[in-house]
Amino acid sequence: MKYIINLGDFNVPNYEDIKKVFNLTNSEINVCNFIKQANGGDKRSQLKDKIFESFNLDLSEGKNIFLINNNLSHEVSALTSAVCFRNNGKDNNRKIIINFDKHKDYVNNQYSSNTPIQYSNWGKCIHRQDYKGFINKGTNYSYYSTDEGMSKLEDLIKDIQSNTLDTDLYVTVDTDVYKESCTSYGDGNFDFDVIYEYIRKLKNCTGSKVNFCGADVTGCADTISGYYNINDKRTYLYELTKQEQKSVIDNAVKKIQTLLNFFETWN
């Protein structure tokens, strides 16, 4: 089932409109209390100790797909991944998170130190004891990201095809990784089709060895601070005419809808 994450008034423009556009008005999860707890938390992730224990969601049975409408709060994906692994994971399976993101969230099992984007560094969470304790399944936790290109992800497909280990998989797509997303971080460098094709290839190669536990898409077109053409000239949505805005937003919505629908068909 698909859910939308409600971040309250925390960096969330046009939230009510987004619910309607994606037909998620009756599938809302309120995490406003999480945001209040996260403020002033660990500088590298904004996730305090014991946060996983307090984040209990009553979700429908089966795979769960989330839309987190603002990519300023991508660390919410750490919580949704933990819930999906706990609810849908299998004992002793290795846990893998694939993060499509243009920001460097996690490097060589160490905290990122060379990026000004501190708030989004949630990749380290899968090695925290409270994360593992919350799931209480499996012993091997791995984190793969597009922050250094697609080569590691291509190698992961080969690993899955050749490895005898069973895998629980969670996928998170921060939309600022691809072009024409118009988020508050601007557009990414990847063509959307490149990201989508990799996810499609991953699904087709996994077979019975991979248990798809859930996914999220993080970041909608931001009408207040969203911009594009980051490599040329920053053009903000609010600078465009209403008709031009609608064209950009409709295009961004279509891409997100494509991802959400694809994840929902992944059995």
Side-chain angles (χ1 to χ4, degrees), residues 2 8-9 24 41 69 95-96 100 126 169 220 248-249 258:
K2 290 184 290 188
D9 57 358
L24 293 170
N69 67 308
K95 313 295 184 212
I96 288 181
F100 294 91
I126 61 170
L169 178 67
C220 295
V248 172
I249 292 173
T258 297

Side-chain angles (χ1 to χ4, degrees), residues 66-83:
F66 304 91
L67 173 62
I68 302 171
N69 67 308
N70 194 291
N71 60 358
L72 291 176
S73 298
H74 194 185
E75 73 281 1
V76 173
S77 295
L79 298 172
T80 54
S81 69
V83 170

